Amino acid sequence: LVDRAVTQIVTPGTVVDDELLSPGSTNYVACVASADSTDSDESDDSAHHAVAAVDVSTGECLVTSAADPERALEELQRVAPAEIVVGPNARVDPAALDGDAMRTEFDPDVFASSAARSTLKKYVPRPDAVVGNDAELRAVGALLAYAEYTQGDETLDYVSRIQRYDPRDGLRLDATALRSLELFESQGPSNGPTLFDVLDDTACALGRRRLQQWLRRPLVDRERIDARLDAVDELTSRSLVREDLHDHLRDVYDVERLVARVSRGRANARDLRSLKATLDVVPDVKDALEDADCDRLLSLRDSLDELDDVRDLIGRAIASDPPMEITEGGVIEEGFDAELDDLRATEREGRQWVADLESSERERTGIDSLSVGHNQVHGYYIEVTNANLDSVPDDYTRRQTLKNSERFYTPELKRREDEIFGASERADALEYELFREVRGDVGEESERIQSVADALATIDVLTTLASVAVENDYTRPELGADGIAIDGGRHPVVERQQDSFVPNPTDLTESRLALVTGPNMSGKSTYMRQVALIVVLAQVGSFVPANAARLPVVDRVFTRVGASDDIAGGQSTFMREMSELTTILHHATENSLVLLDEVGRGTSTTDGLAIARATTEFLHDEVGATTLFATHYHELTAVADDLPGVQNLHFTVERGDRSDDESNTPNGDADSDVTFLHRVAEGASSSSYGVEVARMAGVPSSVVARSEELVADSQSGDESGANSATA
Amino acid sequence: LVDRAVTQIVTPGTVVDDELLSPGSTNYVACVASADSTDSDESDDSAHHAVAAVDVSTGECLVTSAADPERALEELQRVAPAEIVVGPNARVDPAALDGDAMRTEFDPDVFASSAARSTLKKYVPRPDAVVGNDAELRAVGALLAYAEYTQGDETLDYVSRIQRYDPRDGLRLDATALRSLELFESQGPSNGPTLFDVLDDTACALGRRRLQQWLRRPLVDRERIDARLDAVDELTSRSLVREDLHDHLRDVYDVERLVARVSRGRANARDLRSLKATLDVVPDVKDALEDADCDRLLSLRDSLDELDDVRDLIGRAIASDPPMEITEGGVIEEGFDAELDDLRATEREGRQWVADLESSERERTGIDSLSVGHNQVHGYYIEVTNANLDSVPDDYTRRQTLKNSERFYTPELKRREDEIFGASERADALEYELFREVRGDVGEESERIQSVADALATIDVLTTLASVAVENDYTRPELGADGIAIDGGRHPVVERQQDSFVPNPTDLTESRLALVTGPNMSGKSTYMRQVALIVVLAQVGSFVPANAARLPVVDRVFTRVGASDDIAGGQSTFMREMSELTTILHHATENSLVLLDEVGRGTSTTDGLAIARATTEFLHDEVGATTLFATHYHELTAVADDLPGVQNLHFTVERGDRSDDESNTPNGDADSDVTFLHRVAEGASSSSYGVEVARMAGVPSSVVARSEELVADSQSGDESGANSATA
């Protein structure tokens, strides 16, 4: 009944089987294309490198472009595709990408503008109204051509929402920042928790994917951010509504993928039933939002189409607990189709007649051991043991001889058999026909269903953000401030791993550049990341882990943080460090947030200090970016005296009381001498904690004593040193 | 025919199946035990923590002990076991071990001295003569008990070589050193080549395992080292002998594992044939060594027992290309057993008679389409098509009716059939009996075979070391010198990855402590490791990558080299750095080689410099260890002026000619300004290469210019700075 042929090519980016996809994750195949450089008529100079991506399992499709190939690469990185189709002459190099996306070669002809336009025309009436420029047209057109190719050269009707966006509408987070802030992947040796893990309390796969998208691309538009914050705010105060929504959304299936399957003609009856179960939730969700106040929630509520027609159709047509197979009957509900009902009645009556036959024949023949059976090869039979063969009536015809018995049929049994099987076969075929009709009808409504899915996804994320805020005691950030001012800020991930996390304030309003000193383990890195994460969370539209937070809208977060030494050989940490620094110094603006953790470590202290100081001055004088700069160069802290916008912060350490003979403390007995308070304070760190740690580690006491002596000596000569550095 | 029962428990350390083991690797299960601390009669205070290890696949068994639990752990680390059985009250904590050895709990009773002694007695006549102390007795006894348990509670006869060694007989390499010198595992992100990879040109698995053992445990006894070097030396000058040996050894199977399988009664006929093929090599190997000069090669040659008896037995008994199965015949050679030959003859004749039957019966019956066949259920038959049934003779008896034909047999065919199958079955059973006898006889000789394997392994390694020396232009080191003096030294691994590796001299004779400065990428780390690897290679008995090398015999190599920053959170690099430093300062002797790569980076520069200086002074004044200390603290180099045994070395960089307006060089145009020569020179590095690298990386020119200005300022004030540090 089913035609079988190679109808689908499975590649990492175009998988659609649920078994091969993780439930709440996007799975994009992306495409990069550059506008032909000989196209001199290309007027928009800012649109030469395009990235398009489609999730074939859900139909979501994105396209964007940038003038700078690096910028396009950044967008490609955010999409985190499983597979990349690279256009001819594309000047975006996916080899520079993090992760292990497969690179696919595909027919270069599909990248031609005209070919791309005609591909795209199958999806949207006016292709040029959807894309922003020629590179985008090529990228999305070629991408869809590739997607069609993998899915058996059929138009993918469910790819109806091609979203074009401007990369400038999002907070920029390059690969380095995504990695070092551990938004999605832990940097630690053991796969530790990430920001996403902390936030992910979503009820359904739709919400989980949406949360990923939001986190990957925080906003820069204050109105949009505030709209989200309003909604989260309202939900934080309504715990019953929140619980209600969460409970209902738990029953939501992955509608995006279901609808895509429906449209591809690959959905079975169970999929349709799952779709209905999801749609049944919609009225409840609308009810829960009945008293919603804020615009965002109201518009979400209003956008929830209850889709009564679709629900009714599925409810009437599809059996409530259908089998996996759609060709063997049992998928269509009784009462939906009169002809089917007739056929099923015929079949039922016939089977009943056969079921009654055994007792009636026993009675007629007087053979108590007579039995009626059925097998695949011979059909129905009446079986009589050899001992009773004498009692067999004349109308019995021999069908099969066994060792101890014979099997017979009668003309009536034969007639009934033909009737039953004929009806059954026709009914199965009819059910399959009807099912395909229903599936087709539902598929026609895929756009409406997708927009319901869209609203449900957003409601799930907003509810989740509210729950997480309540659970973890987050606060609503105030956006639009002139500088970062955080009261009692916490690191959202680290605070969940520790019993008592010490909150710390941040004030980067007057002095926007802070030099952070203090020993290792004291909390510098955590502190810097916590500030960046609070900024990111706020621009996602989430509450933030702090008592209060007034924040600017940041255009980009830069990070230059501890890279691991490549001790195997050639590759230089310092060169990489300088490259990262270069990116920051060239691209940061006064609206950027810059995290620098140890600049200049991989070279001589003289050079390192000089570079660190020159960098500080440049960021202060030329760029004006909000900056947190952790350093072991205590000499650098003198800069704060010279530059008005530079402040010093340090992490405090408490020294235990020790008797006078401290240099004679035996090894290993000094463990309690230093306590890390993880508390930030104003001013530069001064004490020699490094020597304390050496003592704690058991370094011979004579070495510790000599170190202390040397530190004291150098501090007494410090004035001249500091002067020479600030001259 | 074969009894099946649970006869073996497979654990990571006790696997014996070739499919589960990598060919040239050892696979140890180890056991740690500590002497009971209440045993006050324990006189030898230096023997409280024992480590025993057995490779169940080869029968190799080791036992050692140390007074210091750390020391015992180090030995455990060197063994690199796949599994560890920990004795009750063992004070060696395998959790501290690198790698992922499984920790197994086992019956504590087997650790009791008396129980351990009686276990060991099954393997050696006088247990107490084999072990050095009670802890060793417990460890090896319990270990063998565990090994027996996993192999089905049978005595493992092939574990006949229990080797006790004193840890003090080896060059100490702790886990940190093994790791950072990359002897067996690359530290790089991509699994790069290791020292073992460079050396491993072995011809057979025996040699590969032996090379691993040698590399894991270099020697400290000058005579033993020289004996190996003499052998390598001789082989380097005899390329034909080397090639000859290599060719012959290529035919050597993994005899150690073969013999173990023979002894366990798990070898099949192919295994015995492989054993013979290996033994056949022995006379050739002896021939190749006929003109050997040096003692080591001579004694190896003499220790090669040709084992004519074993070879002859296998040659006569085992078929030359036997099947895998040993129960279905075909494994015993014709002529080995008269009864077997008779049975096989009977079977053969019977089959021939059947084979001839078709033509004779066709002739007799005149049925041209008559055929003789055989099937599993009905045995032999004569098949006649229905059309010819009339011509069937009277002596045919019907056996089976098919659709178009009938099958028959005759009394003679039946008789022959019985005869054939009877003979065949009896022959198979007899073969199996005979095979087990032969295998048992060979098993009796396992000790002799193992000592041949032992000699072949050593010959393979010596040949390999000679080949590697010739191929890579290594030179024979001169041992027993007072300090390290290397002319044209190279890094054995890095030189193989680079087109042109720059050799460098090392002179640590007069001044035994060298401070090494220079920018990253200039070759400091490679240089320091190269010195350590040359020392290790020499003490393994290998030639070394240098033009000339005079070396002391070193007791231990210490390394404190760049650890990766743990940026995920809590754990402090600096604390770990200080712990590693502590180990060095407490345990290094004047005979040790110490590598320090950046001490004090994870703290303030003041503290770091103080600790670095105090460390230098301590190593110089108190310890007297040969030390290479790479540092970015250029201020530290002033120490050389104060301490006679400290010298400065630096890595040179060549600056390209640049015009006067160097501070205005546009970004990215300066790539060729600095060339890393990877060449070491006397004195301290002075120039500001860090700033150059910043320029190369594209840091904005104003920042580079300002950095240069700051460096110049600080250097003009350097006198005071240096003075304060050396005060």
Side-chain angles (χ1 to χ4, degrees):
Chain A
L1 279 170
V2 193
D3 294 338
R4 291 188 191 281
V6 176
T7 53
Q8 196 189 344
I9 295 155
V10 178
T11 71
T14 61
V15 189
V16 291
D17 293 316
D18 263 4
E19 290 76 24
L20 302 174
L21 289 167
S22 56
S25 298
T26 50
N27 192 62
Y28 293 110
V29 53
C31 178
V32 291
S34 295
D36 197 339
S37 52
T38 60
D39 269 13
S40 50
D41 61 332
E42 184 71 28
S43 55
D44 185 359
D45 197 43
S46 70
H48 273 302
H49 308 283
V51 174
V54 63
D55 185 335
V56 182
S57 74
T58 66
E60 188 201 358
C61 183
L62 307 168
V63 60
T64 191
S65 61
D68 177 9
E70 286 291 311
R71 190 75 188 78
L73 186 67
E74 206 176 295
E75 290 305 317
L76 188 60
Q77 179 74 61
R78 289 211 221 198
V79 162
E83 183 178 359
I84 302 166
V85 184
V86 182
N89 308 322
R91 287 192 297 283
V92 179
D93 179 17
L97 222 59
D98 266 28
D100 50 2
M102 180 172 107
R103 190 186 159 133
T104 301
E105 298 292 336
F106 193 56
D107 181 5
D109 292 346
V110 302
F111 284 88
S113 302
S114 54
R117 186 172 288 109
S118 57
T119 305
L120 194 51
K121 214 165 212 158
K122 294 190 275 178
Y123 295 85
V124 290
R126 290 176 45 238
D128 291 289
V130 169
V131 296
N133 53 55
D134 188 56
E136 290 185 4
L137 176 68
R138 289 156 180 259
V140 72
L143 177 67
L144 290 170
Y146 177 69
E148 289 175 2
Y149 164 74
T150 63
Q151 304 303 311
D153 281 324
E154 285 173 44
T155 305
L156 311 174
D157 298 320
Y158 58 103
V159 182
S160 51
R161 302 159 301 150
I162 296 171
Q163 294 163 31
R164 197 248 164 187
Y165 69 92
D166 189 322
R168 284 164 296 195
D169 291 345
L171 168 64
R172 289 186 65 176
L173 290 167
D174 59 21
T176 309
L178 280 175
R179 207 166 39 225
S180 60
L181 295 177
E182 306 187 292
L183 297 189
F184 295 101
E185 262 176 70
S186 165
Q187 292 275 90
S190 54
N191 251 7
T194 63
L195 183 63
F196 179 73
D197 295 334
V198 168
L199 294 185
D200 183 22
D201 189 33
T202 50
C204 62
L206 300 175
R208 204 175 131 87
R209 272 201 300 274
R210 179 61 44 89
L211 178 61
Q212 275 176 34
Q213 291 159 356
W214 284 18
L215 203 53
R216 259 184 219 290
R217 195 173 287 113
L219 304 173
V220 291
D221 183 279
R222 215 182 118 193
E223 262 178 51
R224 292 177 66 198
I225 298 171
D226 278 332
R228 287 187 187 170
L229 283 171
D230 286 344
V232 173
D233 204 346
E234 185 174 323
L235 288 167
T236 53
S237 61
R238 302 193 175 183
S239 68
L240 288 177
V241 173
R242 230 164 46 227
E243 275 169 37
D244 230 25
L245 287 173
H246 193 82
D247 282 351
H248 293 315
L249 290 168
R250 238 197 257 275
D251 295 332
V252 166
Y253 287 85
D254 193 342
V255 190
E256 290 178 335
R257 287 188 185 161
L258 283 179
V259 171
R261 267 211 298 282
V262 169
S263 295
R264 278 198 310 275
R266 306 219 181 242
N268 64 19
R270 289 190 187 178
D271 289 331
L272 291 188
R273 269 284 162 188
S274 299
L275 181 57
K276 177 172 185 301
T278 300
L279 297 178
D280 287 343
V281 163
V282 173
D284 297 329
V285 170
K286 290 190 84 155
D287 275 359
L289 290 173
E290 194 175 25
D291 297 325
D293 250 349
C294 71
D295 290 346
R296 188 71 199 265
L297 290 179
L298 286 172
S299 80
L300 281 168
R301 189 190 66 191
D302 295 343
S303 69
L304 282 174
D305 183 344
E306 297 197 15
L307 287 161
D308 286 331
D309 49 344
V310 177
R311 284 162 59 206
D312 176 65
L313 174 63
I314 300 174
R316 282 187 303 115
I318 308 297
S320 58
D321 187 17
M324 291 289 288
E325 283 298 324
I326 53 175
T327 53
E328 291 167 11
V331 300
I332 298 296
E333 189 71 5
E334 189 130 358
F336 180 68
D337 183 85
E339 189 189 346
L340 177 65
D341 289 349
D342 280 351
L343 287 169
R344 288 293 181 219
T346 305
E347 186 187 343
R348 237 184 345 263
E349 281 160 23
R351 287 189 196 280
Q352 190 55 51
W353 183 88
V354 173
D356 295 340
L357 187 63
E358 193 168 273
S359 58
S360 64
E361 288 298 304
R362 278 188 187 173
E363 201 172 319
R364 179 160 83 100
T365 62
I367 307 171
D368 283 350
S369 64
L370 176 147
S371 64
V372 172
H374 176 261
N375 77 32
Q376 212 65 39
V377 180
H378 296 104
Y380 288 113
Y381 55 79
I382 299 165
E383 184 166 319
V384 179
T385 54
N386 291 348
N388 293 299
L389 287 182
D390 293 345
S391 315
V392 164
D394 290 345
D395 60 345
Y396 276 27
T397 310
R398 195 172 308 244
R399 187 159 235 175
Q400 198 186 2
T401 303
L402 302 181
K403 202 172 158 204
N404 300 316
S405 58
E406 296 280 340
R407 289 174 173 175
F408 303 90
Y409 62 94
T410 63
E412 178 65 4
L413 181 58
K414 182 86 191 107
R415 199 185 60 75
R416 289 286 190 169
E417 181 178 291
D418 292 347
E419 187 181 84
I420 292 167
F421 293 142
S424 171
E425 202 160 297
R426 282 169 56 216
D428 288 355
L430 182 56
E431 283 205 35
Y432 182 59
E433 272 314 301
L434 291 168
F435 176 77
R436 293 191 359 152
E437 268 170 40
V438 171
R439 186 170 65 186
D441 291 348
V442 172
E444 292 292 314
E445 306 305 324
S446 58
E447 249 181 277
R448 285 167 68 208
I449 301 171
Q450 292 288 29
S451 69
V452 166
D454 185 65
L456 292 175
T458 303
I459 292 167
D460 190 13
V461 174
L462 292 170
T463 309
T464 293
L465 290 178
S467 307
V468 171
V470 171
E471 247 168 61
N472 298 295
D473 204 18
Y474 287 3
T475 190
R476 177 172 181 162
E478 194 181 303
L479 280 150
D482 199 33
I484 294 175
I486 299 167
D487 180 29
R490 283 125 46 208
H491 189 296
V493 182
V494 176
E495 72 163 339
R496 294 268 294 246
Q497 297 165 268
Q498 293 182 352
D499 286 342
S500 61
F501 184 90
V502 179
N504 274 310
T506 306
D507 184 349
L508 296 165
T509 51
E510 300 291 306
S511 303
R512 289 211 180 179
L513 195 156
L515 297 171
V516 190
T517 46
N520 272 24
M521 296 193 285
S522 64
K524 284 180 301 187
S525 295
T526 301
Y527 178 67
M528 297 206 304
R529 286 190 178 79
Q530 131 188 342
V531 172
L533 289 174
I534 285 173
V535 164
V536 167
L537 279 174
Q539 292 185 217
V540 162
S542 166
F543 278 24
V544 298
N547 295 336
R550 279 179 299 115
L551 304 169
V553 174
V554 161
D555 63 356
R556 186 166 177 184
V557 176
F558 290 93
T559 59
R560 147 92 279 285
V561 298
S564 59
D565 288 319
D566 181 354
I567 52 179
Q571 222 227 322
S572 165
T573 327
F574 183 60
M575 187 69 187
R576 210 167 79 198
E577 187 183 313
M578 287 298 110
S579 300
E580 288 180 14
L581 183 63
T582 298
T583 303
I584 296 173
L585 296 183
H586 281 295
H587 297 292
T589 74
E590 58 175 340
N591 295 318
S592 303
L593 173 63
V594 176
L595 305 190
L596 297 173
D597 194 349
E598 298 300 347
V599 166
R601 284 212 323 187
T603 185
S604 73
T605 47
T606 314
D607 283 29
L609 176 57
I611 293 167
R613 186 176 170 119
T615 296
T616 307
E617 290 174 0
F618 186 81
L619 285 169
H620 179 270
D621 301 342
E622 307 290 328
V623 179
T626 303
T627 305
L628 286 163
F629 187 170
T631 183
H632 285 310
Y633 293 118
H634 287 203
E635 298 86 338
L636 187 61
T637 58
V639 138
D641 300 335
D642 303 334
L643 304 177
V646 175
Q647 60 174 314
N648 281 314
L649 296 176
H650 73 283
F651 273 79
T652 53
V653 172
E654 206 168 60
R655 282 174 185 249
D657 273 339
R658 279 192 289 119
S659 54
D660 247 359
D661 62 340
E662 56 183 59
S663 57
N664 297 319
T665 306
N667 300 320
D669 207 359
D671 285 18
S672 56
D673 280 346
V674 169
T675 312
F676 294 106
L677 300 177
H678 302 290
R679 188 162 291 151
V680 77
E682 286 177 23
S685 167
S686 59
S687 307
S688 306
Y689 300 111
V691 179
E692 287 300 327
V693 174
R695 184 201 308 278
M696 281 161 61
V699 166
S701 52
S702 64
V703 176
V704 171
R706 176 62 177 143
S707 300
E708 284 175 338
E709 195 181 313
L710 288 164
V711 168
D713 283 354
S714 93
Q715 277 167 349
S716 70
D718 219 14
E719 260 48 59
S720 65
N723 286 344
S724 76
T726 58
Chain B
L1 278 169
V2 194
D3 293 340
R4 290 188 192 280
V6 176
T7 52
Q8 194 188 347
I9 294 156
V10 178
T11 70
T14 61
V15 189
V16 290
D17 292 316
D18 264 3
E19 289 77 23
L20 301 173
L21 289 167
S22 56
S25 297
T26 50
N27 193 61
Y28 292 109
V29 52
C31 178
V32 290
S34 294
D36 198 338
S37 52
T38 59
D39 269 13
S40 51
D41 60 333
E42 183 73 25
S43 56
D44 185 359
D45 197 41
S46 70
H48 272 302
H49 309 283
V51 174
V54 64
D55 184 336
V56 182
S57 74
T58 66
E60 187 200 356
C61 184
L62 305 168
V63 59
T64 190
S65 60
D68 176 9
E70 287 291 312
R71 190 75 187 77
L73 185 67
E74 206 176 296
E75 290 305 319
L76 188 59
Q77 178 75 62
R78 290 211 221 199
V79 161
E83 183 178 0
I84 302 166
V85 184
V86 182
N89 309 322
R91 288 192 295 284
V92 178
D93 179 17
L97 222 60
D98 265 28
D100 49 0
M102 180 173 109
R103 191 187 158 132
T104 301
E105 298 292 337
F106 193 56
D107 181 5
D109 291 346
V110 302
F111 284 88
S113 301
S114 55
R117 186 172 287 108
S118 57
T119 305
L120 194 50
K121 214 165 211 157
K122 293 189 276 178
Y123 296 84
V124 290
R126 290 176 44 236
D128 291 289
V130 169
V131 297
N133 52 56
D134 188 55
E136 290 185 4
L137 176 69
R138 288 155 180 259
V140 73
L143 176 67
L144 290 170
Y146 176 68
E148 289 175 1
Y149 164 73
T150 64
Q151 305 302 311
D153 280 324
E154 285 173 44
T155 306
L156 311 174
D157 297 320
Y158 58 102
V159 182
S160 51
R161 300 160 302 150
I162 297 171
Q163 294 163 32
R164 198 246 164 189
Y165 69 92
D166 188 322
R168 284 165 296 195
D169 291 345
L171 167 64
R172 288 187 66 177
L173 290 168
D174 58 21
T176 309
L178 279 176
R179 208 166 38 224
S180 60
L181 294 178
E182 306 187 290
L183 296 190
F184 295 101
E185 262 177 68
S186 166
Q187 293 276 90
S190 53
N191 251 8
T194 63
L195 183 62
F196 179 72
D197 295 333
V198 169
L199 294 185
D200 182 22
D201 189 32
T202 50
C204 61
L206 300 174
R208 205 175 130 88
R209 273 201 301 274
R210 178 61 44 89
L211 178 61
Q212 276 175 34
Q213 291 158 356
W214 282 20
L215 203 52
R216 260 186 218 288
R217 197 172 287 113
L219 303 172
V220 291
D221 182 279
R222 215 180 120 195
E223 261 178 52
R224 292 177 66 198
I225 298 170
D226 278 332
R228 286 187 188 171
L229 283 172
D230 286 344
V232 173
D233 203 347
E234 184 175 325
L235 288 167
T236 53
S237 61
R238 300 191 177 184
S239 67
L240 288 178
V241 172
R242 230 164 46 226
E243 275 168 37
D244 230 25
L245 287 173
H246 193 82
D247 283 350
H248 292 314
L249 290 167
R250 236 195 258 278
D251 296 331
V252 166
Y253 287 85
D254 193 342
V255 190
E256 290 178 336
R257 289 189 185 161
L258 282 179
V259 171
R261 266 210 299 282
V262 168
S263 294
R264 279 198 309 275
R266 306 219 181 241
N268 63 20
R270 289 190 186 179
D271 290 331
L272 291 188
R273 268 286 161 187
S274 299
L275 181 57
K276 177 172 184 302
T278 301
L279 297 178
D280 286 343
V281 163
V282 173
D284 297 328
V285 171
K286 291 189 84 156
D287 275 359
L289 290 172
E290 193 175 25
D291 298 325
D293 251 350
C294 70
D295 290 347
R296 188 71 199 266
L297 290 179
L298 285 172
S299 80
L300 281 167
R301 190 190 66 192
D302 294 344
S303 69
L304 283 174
D305 182 343
E306 299 196 14
L307 287 160
D308 286 331
D309 49 344
V310 177
R311 283 160 62 206
D312 176 64
L313 173 63
I314 300 174
R316 281 187 303 113
I318 308 298
S320 58
D321 188 17
M324 291 290 288
E325 282 299 325
I326 53 174
T327 53
E328 290 167 13
V331 300
I332 297 297
E333 188 73 3
E334 188 130 358
F336 181 67
D337 184 84
E339 188 188 349
L340 177 64
D341 289 348
D342 280 351
L343 288 167
R344 289 296 180 215
T346 304
E347 184 187 344
R348 232 180 354 257
E349 280 159 24
R351 288 191 197 277
Q352 188 55 50
W353 183 87
V354 171
D356 295 340
L357 186 63
E358 191 169 275
S359 56
S360 66
E361 286 300 302
R362 279 186 186 174
E363 204 172 318
R364 178 161 82 102
T365 61
I367 307 170
D368 283 349
S369 62
L370 175 148
S371 65
V372 173
H374 177 262
N375 78 30
Q376 212 66 41
V377 180
H378 297 102
Y380 288 112
Y381 56 79
I382 300 165
E383 184 168 320
V384 179
T385 53
N386 292 349
N388 293 299
L389 288 180
D390 293 345
S391 315
V392 164
D394 290 346
D395 59 345
Y396 277 26
T397 310
R398 195 173 308 245
R399 186 158 236 175
Q400 196 185 3
T401 302
L402 302 181
K403 200 170 159 208
N404 300 313
S405 59
E406 295 283 340
R407 289 175 172 175
F408 304 90
Y409 63 92
T410 63
E412 177 67 2
L413 180 58
K414 183 88 191 103
R415 197 184 62 75
R416 288 288 188 166
E417 181 179 290
D418 293 346
E419 186 181 83
I420 292 167
F421 294 140
S424 171
E425 203 160 296
R426 283 169 55 216
D428 289 354
L430 181 55
E431 284 206 35
Y432 181 59
E433 271 315 301
L434 291 169
F435 176 77
R436 294 190 2 150
E437 268 171 39
V438 171
R439 186 170 65 186
D441 290 348
V442 171
E444 291 294 313
E445 305 306 324
S446 59
E447 248 182 280
R448 285 167 70 209
I449 301 171
Q450 292 287 30
S451 69
V452 166
D454 185 64
L456 291 176
T458 303
I459 293 167
D460 191 13
V461 174
L462 292 170
T463 308
T464 294
L465 290 178
S467 306
V468 170
V470 171
E471 247 169 61
N472 298 295
D473 203 19
Y474 287 3
T475 190
R476 177 171 182 163
E478 195 181 302
L479 281 149
D482 199 33
I484 294 176
I486 298 167
D487 181 27
R490 283 125 47 205
H491 189 296
V493 181
V494 176
E495 72 163 340
R496 295 266 295 245
Q497 298 166 267
Q498 294 182 352
D499 286 343
S500 61
F501 185 89
V502 179
N504 274 311
T506 306
D507 184 350
L508 297 165
T509 51
E510 300 290 305
S511 304
R512 288 213 182 178
L513 195 155
L515 297 170
V516 190
T517 47
N520 272 25
M521 295 193 285
S522 65
K524 284 180 300 188
S525 296
T526 300
Y527 179 67
M528 296 204 306
R529 285 189 178 80
Q530 131 188 342
V531 172
L533 289 174
I534 286 173
V535 164
V536 167
L537 280 174
Q539 291 184 221
V540 163
S542 167
F543 278 25
V544 298
N547 295 335
R550 277 179 299 116
L551 305 170
V553 174
V554 161
D555 63 357
R556 185 165 177 185
V557 176
F558 290 93
T559 60
R560 146 92 279 285
V561 298
S564 59
D565 289 318
D566 182 353
I567 52 178
Q571 221 227 323
S572 165
T573 327
F574 184 60
M575 187 68 187
R576 210 166 80 198
E577 187 182 315
M578 287 299 109
S579 299
E580 288 180 13
L581 184 63
T582 299
T583 302
I584 296 172
L585 297 183
H586 282 296
H587 297 291
T589 73
E590 58 174 341
N591 295 318
S592 303
L593 173 62
V594 176
L595 305 190
L596 297 173
D597 195 348
E598 298 300 348
V599 165
R601 284 213 322 188
T603 185
S604 74
T605 46
T606 314
D607 282 29
L609 177 57
I611 293 168
R613 186 176 169 117
T615 296
T616 307
E617 291 174 359
F618 187 81
L619 285 170
H620 179 270
D621 301 342
E622 307 292 327
V623 179
T626 304
T627 304
L628 285 163
F629 186 170
T631 183
H632 284 311
Y633 293 119
H634 287 202
E635 298 86 337
L636 187 61
T637 58
V639 141
D641 300 334
D642 303 334
L643 303 178
V646 174
Q647 59 175 310
N648 280 313
L649 296 175
H650 73 282
F651 274 80
T652 52
V653 172
E654 205 168 60
R655 283 176 184 246
D657 274 339
R658 278 193 290 118
S659 52
D660 248 358
D661 62 341
E662 54 183 59
S663 56
N664 297 318
T665 307
N667 301 319
D669 206 358
D671 284 18
S672 57
D673 280 345
V674 169
T675 313
F676 294 107
L677 300 176
H678 303 289
R679 188 163 291 151
V680 76
E682 285 177 20
S685 169
S686 58
S687 308
S688 307
Y689 300 111
V691 179
E692 287 300 326
V693 174
R695 184 202 306 280
M696 281 162 61
V699 166
S701 52
S702 64
V703 175
V704 171
R706 175 62 177 144
S707 299
E708 283 175 339
E709 196 182 310
L710 288 164
V711 168
D713 284 354
S714 94
Q715 276 168 348
S716 71
D718 217 15
E719 258 49 58
S720 64
N723 286 344
S724 75
T726 57

